[in-house]
Amino acid sequence: MGNVARIGERVRRTEDRRFLTGAGRYVDDLQLARCTYAYFLRSPHAHARIRSIDTSKAAAAPGVVAVFTGKDVADAKVGGLICGWVVKDKHGEPHKAPGHPAIALDTVRYVGDTVAMVIADTAAQARDAAEQIEVDYEVLPAVIDPAAAVAASAVQVHADVPGNLSYDWELGDKAAVDAAFARAAHITKLDLVNNRLVPNAMEPRAAAAEYDRGTGTYTLYTTSQNPHVTRLVLSAFVLGIPEHKLRVVAPDVGGGFGSKIFIYADETLVLWAAGKTGRAIKWTAERSESFMTDAHGRDHVTHAELALDKDGKFLALKVDTIANMGAYLSTFATAVPTYLYGTLLAGQYTTPAIHCNVRAVFTHTAPVDAYRGAGRPEATYLLETIVSKAAREMNIDPAELRKRNFIAAGAFPYQTPVALTYDSGNYTPILDQAMKLADYAGASERKAAAKAKGKLRGIGISSYIEACGLAPSAVVGSLGAGVGQWESAQLRFNPTGNLQILTGSHSHGQSHETTFAQIVSDKLGIPLDQIEVVHGDTAQVPFGMGSYGSRSLAVGGSAIMKAADKIIAKGKKIAAHLMEAAEADIVFENGAFKVTGTDKNVPLGQAVFSAYVPHNYPLDKLEPGMDENAFYDPSNFTYPSGTQICEVEVDPDTGGVEIVNFVAVDDFGNVVNPMIVEGQVHGGIAQGVGQALLEYTVYDKESGQLLSGSYMDYTMPRADNLPSFNLGYQVTPCPHNPLGVKGCGEAGAIAAPAAVMNAVRDALAQVGAQDRIEMPATPQRVWQAIHAH
Amino acid sequence: MTMSVSMTVNGKTVSGNVEARTLLVQFLREHLGLTGTHVGCDTSQCGACVVHVDGISVKSCTLLAVQAEGAKVTTIEGLAKSAEELHPMQEAFRENHGLQCGFCTPGMVMSAIDLVKRHNYQLDEETVRHGLEGNLCRCTGYHNIVKSIIAGAAAMKAAGV
Amino acid sequence: MYDFAYHKPKSMADALAALKKAADGKLLAGGMTLIPTLKQRLAQPSDVIDLAAIGELRGIKVDGNGVTVGAMTKHAEVAASADVAKAIPALAKLAANIGDGQVRNRGTIGGSLANSDPAADYPAAVLGLGATITTNERTIAADDFFKGLFETALKEGEIITSVTFPKPAKAAYMKFPNPASRYAMVGVFVAQTSSGPRVAVTGAGPCAFRVKAMEDALAKNWSADAVAGIKVPANGLNGDIHGSPEYRAHLVTVMAKRAVAAAG
């Protein structure tokens, strides 16, 4: 038998062997019996009326099983796709959510909108046949730019949404903000674009479905971060398949970053058509389809102003944002630029008055929803940019300005003016450690040395706060969420003493199979190799809300801890019986129940065996078996915090930006597996650097064509775009969950854009170009900023 | 046009009838059930599909199955000596947390092994980062992949593979 | 991809015969452009004729006059050739930075030139060194080869067999890659040749082109400073989301400067 793993150890991952030997099982790897293949015909136009569709040639093409159009789906009473979070606008009215049919009925509203579905014996035949479909489009003018969409003369995306406005929302005390601005010694103003991103999990989305005529049961295999939520939505709102007759399985999933939270038309149609045709159906997106149809991220245009007193104390912040929703509301789209954005605008600071206004608008582009960080990167980029800008304008060192405004270590729990109560934190030591690791003191010397060789160096700071570990159900419910945000766990022992952890969290790279096993191994003293983590299958796991918002360990892990407590409690009763001792005298230590003050003990395995073979067992008082369920609903978010410092060197001749050093110091509370946490930070930073320097999503402003629709045009971060990262930790344990942990999955992506861009702006300030650059700071844009006059 | 094709895959002679348009990756995944080789893009850039053909790394999404007629193909499934003993490069990825979701991993490992051999087991960070130009990862930020490959190069040398 | 008939001739004669017989035949060299094009269904050839089995199209020969590279020689082979590295180090270095490692393992010089992608690297070397392209029918001077966007002097039924690069006194290639595709946004090859300096640009225009003003300046004074003030007109250059014609025009000067400095 292997070893017991301890919390805090760099345990190597148990899932690695299968991934490293090609034995992972992703959706596209599954072989269903007599499987057919789906191909979706996509709209080539951003906005067009469908005058007619003729599918007769396609239906007669070789191998074709069925062809479906929007009319077929409507006739079958398939419900539209839903948005599961209803945001109320500043007048208390619910957001406007236009109908979102799985296949467009008479109008297409973005390039990639689904027009028809072809099912054939092979994937190539389905695509061959789709080319035979004749669609007569009346091409209409499109609106692409979110700022243009709110103009009075703008083209309307939906007839029933006047002004393209889903909602006009606000948070905070406007009067207090106005009063503070009136007495400010200095006001810093900022106009900022938060660029649209394409998530680009390396595994494209996929779905495979089959219908069992004998039992009337549907099974959907899908690339999902939350299979139970997918089942719930498809059952209750879209397809009407009873929840107990639908099994949703998310097997190995190759990354998600938010994009696989949502319920898309594609898996909906694959599942529906499997029932309709009686055949198993598989669909896997091609990457160019992913670019067009995965929910994108970010896409804000913002004006903000920060009021400061003469000493640089922040008095108030006001923010006016236009958030692009795309053509339809995706599953959780509305929450992202509101409750995951406006509530974060206090950052790490004591700013007493904050007001935020957000207009969510429709455009003829792909729907926008949560992408790693979701709202929090947008808030952090805005706040950390305006803070560094204020520092430059007031000639105060940006680190010093931050420290003057940090919430003090003794001030927790801290109520911000934007609804959140921070539970814990200690920000100054984090910044100090980051400055030391980055040799912040030596930055000006390095800047001078670079200048001597014709390069522009700059250093940038980003101090972030995150609210994650979604979330107290009552809180999110009061804000419009359609679901609870607890998590479930089941610890199921087998008679031979090994154990399955069934979790409602889903791992698509986050290493739950190791981390969750590690906490149970530590808690129950069971060797790691005796523990199996089961996730991603509604037929196995009781229920689950899935993985997003850096919630798996803080919420799912807490549920596991609760279930483990129940195991221990039951084991104590069994052990007391076996040792003929009082239950109150039993303690659980190192995997065994002991009678205090004696050397008598019953190992957990023996208690488990007794529970399953209850020959000598208190059956009059206790049920047999060792299988405990727990649900955990957190009392608050967790609030990880940290500071990143980035140093860049700009080549003024080409505009190229090289990252020469990148430091991240984080407070994630207690850390279960530092190796895994570091991996999460690395990946997050890379995505943040990608946003800052590389990833440029461009729709043609007139035609609405996606100009960055493949890796030929969309710049993915590659190994040579990035340095090795220099990480550090501070620990203030989370006071309200049993592990004392805070989420770590999104921090890197939340903080990095501002760190990089503050460095770029610091570099460009040497030539007066600091206010002429937006993300992504591509070589061309940097060069243009330097040479614009 | 349907053609017969035969090649050696992971040491075994295999054959099949395929359309001329069948890509090597489709032949491996769909005809042979070797689903460890992945497809992550349609423009020959992500590298999730990298396999070795006659000992060198190629993108199996950009090669017709019929082009590999008679070739010796090694996929991720063919690297480990046994279920217990991983290839030193696979072991280095495990040891250094060089993978998260696992989707890009087979291509990364196959590219890494070719890179090590091409540079005669001598790799520094810059060489590795440049050498990974044809492999995309969205999870790791490459930090631990680079570490894994440098460690894997030394382990391959020590093991004489 | 649409289906097609596949042929793998063992000789040039068989290849030419297959090409002639095909309604719409396409030659397959390394396939690094053709296969992605077919996958996107941007072409629908009736026949694909794979040149991989024709031994005479492969190999590198180096003599006192220069380097001859067989059309089916892979970029990785040129990059790894000690003989090339000794005779024309700039050529080996260029080959070592085409695409990515897996592209270099399959892509060929003949395929690259016949395709004449505006952002390919080899055209810069061919034009910059004044190479000679040999086909089954004739030899074509580099200056006569590149005709426009994906357009060359090759006639129907004509197949490149080799390329001969004369050995320059010195040469260097500098590329500024497109951040996304990593193809050359601008690549400049400079060489001091027996007939004087040559400056060839790829990535910036519809096809590779020479910059006479820079060549004249270098003839008078071989130094980075000599080209620093020379700008190519932006008019007619390529533009996309990563680089406007103006930016590309600027990069031509920067890369030329750096190439001259690197050539020594």
Side-chain angles (χ1 to χ4, degrees):
Chain A
M1 254 200 265
N3 296 324
V4 170
R6 293 296 171 196
I7 286 173
E9 287 177 0
R10 306 174 76 87
V11 174
R12 301 303 184 263
R13 299 203 319 165
T14 51
E15 46 270 81
D16 282 353
R17 186 170 292 270
R18 74 171 184 274
F19 292 136
L20 282 164
T21 56
R25 282 291 169 267
Y26 302 87
V27 172
D28 191 59
D29 301 341
L30 303 172
Q31 309 272 358
L32 304 183
R34 291 186 68 238
C35 194
T36 62
Y37 296 83
Y39 181 84
F40 294 106
L41 185 67
R42 309 281 183 188
S43 169
H45 305 296
H47 188 199
R49 199 170 66 78
I50 299 173
R51 289 201 193 97
S52 65
I53 301 185
D54 182 351
T55 60
S56 53
K57 278 187 208 155
V64 170
V65 173
V67 182
F68 297 114
T69 64
K71 185 173 180 307
D72 299 318
V73 172
D75 288 350
K77 304 268 186 286
V78 171
L81 301 171
I82 63 154
C83 176
W85 192 308
V86 179
V87 166
K88 289 197 172 147
D89 73 8
K90 56 172 67 161
H91 310 297
E93 296 295 318
H95 70 228
K96 294 194 178 60
H100 186 183
I103 302 184
L105 195 54
D106 51 14
T107 305
V108 288
R109 293 190 173 84
Y110 66 101
V111 171
D113 211 351
T114 308
V115 174
M117 177 188 202
V118 181
I119 299 156
D121 288 333
T122 72
Q125 285 172 332
R127 186 167 176 178
D128 290 344
E131 291 184 359
Q132 306 283 314
I133 297 175
E134 287 165 16
V135 188
D136 183 11
Y137 292 105
E138 178 189 349
V139 179
L140 302 168
V143 60
I144 303 303
D145 186 59
V150 295
S153 60
V155 173
Q156 295 294 290
V157 180
H158 297 277
D160 54 351
V161 184
N164 296 320
L165 197 61
S166 179
Y167 55 78
D168 184 355
W169 175 89
E170 68 179 342
L171 179 69
D173 185 341
K174 189 163 187 305
V177 167
D178 289 344
F181 269 83
R183 61 186 165 85
H186 182 86
I187 295 173
T188 293
K189 299 181 179 180
L190 179 69
D191 286 293
L192 209 61
V193 172
N194 201 292
N195 47 320
R196 178 184 279 243
L197 302 174
V198 182
N200 274 304
M202 289 317 301
E203 180 205 21
R205 286 189 298 113
E210 55 191 352
Y211 175 64
D212 182 336
R213 200 162 50 84
T215 60
T217 306
Y218 289 80
T219 304
L220 172 67
Y221 302 90
T222 182
T223 47
S224 174
Q225 301 177 214
N226 33 237
H228 285 91
V229 176
T230 298
R231 185 181 63 162
L232 176 64
V233 170
L234 290 175
S235 290
F237 300 102
V238 185
L239 293 177
I241 300 168
E243 214 173 347
H244 66 299
K245 292 290 185 188
L246 173 57
R247 175 185 177 197
V248 177
V249 184
D252 286 329
V253 173
F257 315 110
S259 69
K260 293 171 181 170
I261 297 171
F262 321 120
I263 291 87
Y264 293 87
D266 315 289
E267 62 267 24
T268 302
L269 292 165
V270 165
L271 178 61
W272 169 75
K276 187 101 176 155
T277 62
R279 294 285 299 273
I281 303 172
K282 186 153 88 176
W283 166 79
T284 301
E286 301 200 353
R287 179 59 60 185
S288 44
E289 267 184 298
S290 305
F291 269 102
M292 285 190 289
T293 66
D294 285 3
H296 293 177
R298 321 283 192 251
D299 207 348
H300 286 192
V301 181
T302 295
H303 176 77
E305 299 187 11
L306 179 67
L308 304 94
D309 74 9
K310 64 175 176 31
D311 299 321
K313 281 290 277 183
F314 304 159
L315 301 175
L317 174 71
K318 59 182 172 191
V319 173
D320 183 10
T321 292
I322 299 173
N324 195 347
M325 296 282 101
Y328 301 96
L329 294 183
S330 175
T331 317
F332 291 108
T334 50
V336 176
T338 50
Y339 297 109
L340 296 175
Y341 170 69
T343 53
L344 272 296
L345 288 169
Q348 298 187 356
Y349 310 113
T350 55
T351 318
I354 298 172
H355 181 260
C356 173
N357 196 98
V358 177
R359 284 171 290 169
V361 305
F362 291 106
T363 60
H364 291 107
T365 62
V368 177
D369 207 325
Y371 166 65
R372 200 172 196 166
R376 293 150 291 177
E378 294 91 315
T380 302
Y381 179 56
L382 168 67
L383 190 58
E384 289 304 286
T385 302
I386 204 165
V387 167
S388 282
K389 189 173 188 212
R392 194 179 303 115
E393 287 174 353
M394 294 181 76
N395 204 21
I396 301 172
D397 181 89
E400 169 59 24
L401 184 64
R402 283 172 169 82
K403 285 185 186 178
R404 281 185 204 174
N405 287 282
F406 277 162
I407 297 161
F412 295 92
Y414 179 84
Q415 176 64 51
T416 74
V418 275
L420 297 177
T421 306
Y422 296 170
D423 61 358
S424 59
N426 189 5
Y427 306 140
T428 302
I430 295 174
L431 178 55
D432 285 338
Q433 189 185 351
M435 289 167 73
K436 206 171 160 197
L437 285 173
D439 185 18
Y440 189 81
S444 55
E445 213 169 284
R446 294 192 294 277
K447 192 184 265 190
K451 195 147 200 186
K453 57 181 177 102
K455 299 284 172 67
L456 303 173
R457 247 192 204 231
I459 194 161
I461 300 175
S462 173
S463 297
Y464 77 94
I465 184 83
E466 185 190 357
C468 62
L470 306 175
S473 292
V475 173
V476 295
S478 72
L479 301 177
V483 290
Q485 288 286 351
W486 41 265
E487 194 48 88
S488 81
Q490 184 177 1
L491 296 193
R492 185 194 288 165
F493 274 94
N494 298 306
T496 52
N498 51 35
L499 164 71
Q500 280 163 313
I501 303 170
L502 293 91
T503 172
S505 297
H506 186 273
S507 181
H508 30 281
Q510 297 92 334
S511 323
H512 295 4
E513 291 172 37
T514 304
T515 305
F516 287 179
Q518 195 173 344
I519 59 178
V520 170
S521 179
D522 178 277
K523 177 122 177 144
L524 298 182
I526 297 170
L528 207 57
D529 63 3
Q530 299 297 302
I531 304 172
E532 178 81 7
V533 175
V534 177
H535 65 97
D537 184 349
T538 62
Q540 295 195 66
V541 176
F543 206 92
M545 298 313 300
S547 288
Y548 41 82
S550 301
R551 67 191 304 273
S552 294
L553 187 59
V555 189
S558 295
I560 291 170
M561 292 296 277
K562 272 187 74 177
D565 284 335
K566 292 184 183 179
I567 294 281
I568 292 170
K570 184 165 185 178
K572 278 185 180 172
K573 289 187 168 63
I574 299 168
H577 174 85
L578 292 175
M579 293 188 283
E580 296 176 341
E583 191 189 327
D585 294 336
I586 307 287
V587 291
F588 182 66
E589 282 171 12
N590 297 324
F593 298 97
K594 294 173 183 156
V595 182
T596 10
T598 75
D599 56 2
K600 287 209 284 188
N601 77 84
V602 168
L604 175 58
Q606 189 186 337
V608 168
F609 186 79
S610 296
Y612 282 107
V613 187
H615 297 166
N616 174 19
Y617 192 87
L619 284 165
D620 52 336
K621 288 179 289 199
L622 204 58
E623 292 174 14
M626 193 62 106
D627 183 355
E628 294 292 345
N629 251 322
F631 289 71
Y632 178 81
D633 201 302
S635 60
N636 195 353
F637 298 89
T638 73
Y639 296 94
S641 62
T643 287
Q644 294 183 351
I645 299 182
C646 175
E647 191 162 341
V648 301
E649 195 163 281
V650 174
D651 178 345
D653 286 345
T654 62
V657 177
E658 186 195 354
I659 295 178
V660 289
N661 193 14
F662 201 105
V663 168
V665 179
D666 292 288
D667 174 3
F668 297 131
N670 294 331
V671 170
V672 173
N673 187 325
M675 177 189 84
I676 288 167
V677 168
E678 286 161 15
Q680 291 295 307
V681 175
H682 297 153
I685 293 171
Q687 288 179 4
V689 169
Q691 169 160 33
L693 297 181
L694 306 169
E695 298 181 41
Y696 190 27
T697 309
V698 187
Y699 282 97
D700 183 89
K701 290 254 187 290
E702 297 295 319
S703 70
Q705 293 298 322
L706 181 59
L707 301 179
S708 54
S710 81
Y711 294 141
M712 293 296 283
D713 296 300
Y714 187 87
T715 310
M716 282 283 278
R718 301 197 202 201
D720 59 1
N721 292 124
L722 298 162
S724 285
F725 309 115
N726 196 352
L727 307 188
Y729 293 105
Q730 295 281 326
V731 176
T732 59
C734 173
H736 59 77
N737 65 44
L739 288 160
V741 296
K742 307 175 182 183
C744 70
E746 298 166 290
I750 288 169
V756 175
M757 290 305 291
N758 282 336
V760 169
R761 292 193 180 97
D762 184 46
L764 294 183
Q766 295 170 76
V767 292
Q770 70 276 10
D771 295 329
R772 292 199 290 261
I773 189 75
E774 294 272 17
M775 298 193 294
T778 63
Q780 169 171 247
R781 286 173 149 199
V782 171
W783 177 77
Q784 284 167 340
I786 293 170
H787 296 277
H789 294 297
Chain B
M1 170 172 145
T2 301
M3 302 181 71
S4 72
V5 62
S6 91
M7 62 188 83
T8 306
V9 178
N10 299 331
K12 286 190 201 123
T13 305
V14 298
S15 57
N17 291 315
V18 299
E19 284 185 313
R21 62 173 160 175
T22 305
L23 298 167
L24 177 60
V25 67
Q26 293 170 321
F27 182 66
L28 294 170
R29 288 179 56 82
E30 292 161 22
H31 291 250
L32 304 181
L34 294 170
T35 54
T37 302
H38 298 149
V39 178
C41 79
D42 46 12
T43 51
S44 308
Q45 285 176 312
C46 80
C49 67
V50 171
V51 300
H52 294 175
V53 173
D54 293 328
I56 64 166
S57 63
V58 305
K59 290 182 173 170
S60 63
C61 76
T62 315
L63 190 70
L64 303 170
V66 290
Q67 283 180 278
E69 170 69 33
K72 284 195 174 66
V73 177
T74 306
T75 72
I76 190 73
E77 290 93 343
L79 281 185
K81 265 194 212 158
S82 66
E84 290 74 40
E85 195 182 348
L86 296 176
H87 184 282
M89 186 58 76
Q90 292 171 315
E91 187 56 39
F93 270 70
R94 200 184 75 84
E95 185 61 27
N96 292 282
H97 190 28
L99 64 153
Q100 291 181 23
C101 82
F103 195 81
C104 77
T105 308
M108 283 287 176
V109 170
M110 300 310 285
S111 287
I113 291 169
D114 190 26
L115 190 66
V116 169
K117 293 192 170 163
R118 218 165 269 281
H119 288 86
N120 201 22
Y121 303 89
Q122 299 294 316
L123 290 174
D124 58 16
E125 177 170 344
E126 196 188 335
T127 310
V128 173
R129 287 187 181 275
H130 180 63
L132 290 180
E133 203 169 359
N135 290 82
L136 296 177
C137 170
R138 194 56 151 170
C139 292
T140 64
Y142 303 98
H143 181 110
N144 284 342
I145 291 178
V146 173
K147 255 173 81 179
S148 300
I149 295 174
I150 290 171
M156 280 172 65
K157 190 173 185 183
V161 295
Chain C
M1 199 181 310
Y2 302 105
D3 206 18
F4 46 77
Y6 172 84
H7 312 270
K8 197 170 186 177
K10 291 201 167 57
S11 70
M12 278 296 282
D14 289 352
L16 289 163
L19 191 56
K20 201 166 175 188
K21 219 172 121 192
D24 179 18
K26 280 264 186 218
L27 298 173
L28 173 61
M32 295 297 98
T33 302
L34 180 60
I35 291 178
T37 305
L38 295 177
K39 280 165 69 177
Q40 289 180 63
R41 300 190 168 210
L42 296 174
Q44 192 172 6
S46 61
D47 297 70
V48 167
I49 298 142
D50 186 351
L51 302 177
I54 305 172
E56 65 194 88
L57 295 179
R58 280 185 79 163
I60 297 168
K61 275 188 300 225
V62 177
D63 59 28
N65 298 322
V67 174
T68 297
V69 182
M72 285 294 287
T73 308
K74 295 177 168 71
H75 309 326
E77 292 166 347
V78 175
S81 162
D83 291 340
V84 175
K86 202 170 157 211
I88 315 178
L91 183 62
K93 206 171 152 214
L94 175 146
N97 287 288
I98 298 173
D100 57 48
Q102 289 70 41
V103 166
R104 294 192 289 275
N105 284 343
R106 294 289 309 171
T108 66
I109 189 167
S112 171
L113 293 178
N115 188 47
S116 186
D117 188 301
D121 295 298
Y122 263 135
V126 167
L127 201 56
L129 289 167
T132 303
I133 291 129
T134 303
T135 74
N136 57 313
E137 292 181 8
R138 56 182 170 147
T139 59
I140 308 170
D143 286 327
D144 300 327
F145 186 79
F146 300 103
K147 294 292 188 191
L149 189 67
F150 297 108
E151 204 188 319
T152 68
L154 291 171
K155 293 180 291 189
E156 210 160 286
E158 191 172 13
I159 300 177
I160 299 175
T161 55
S162 67
V163 185
T164 301
F165 297 92
K167 187 174 172 336
K170 49 189 169 184
Y173 178 62
M174 281 289 161
K175 148 162 89 168
F176 194 84
N178 174 312
S181 70
R182 302 297 183 98
Y183 275 82
M185 192 138 83
V186 166
V188 178
F189 199 104
V190 301
Q192 182 64 275
T193 73
S194 57
S195 59
R198 292 174 72 99
V199 177
V201 177
T202 191
C207 65
F209 64 89
R210 287 171 65 186
V211 185
K212 188 159 185 313
M214 287 186 180
E215 293 176 354
D216 293 345
L218 289 172
K220 289 191 199 113
N221 170 21
W222 181 274
S223 75
D225 287 346
V227 295
I230 301 173
K231 289 257 181 290
V232 298
N235 192 18
L237 296 189
N238 304 330
D240 56 35
I241 61 174
H242 299 288
S244 64
E246 293 72 26
Y247 181 52
R248 278 183 161 86
H250 165 76
L251 286 178
V252 169
T253 305
V254 176
M255 292 300 116
K257 225 165 62 180
R258 291 181 184 182
V260 172

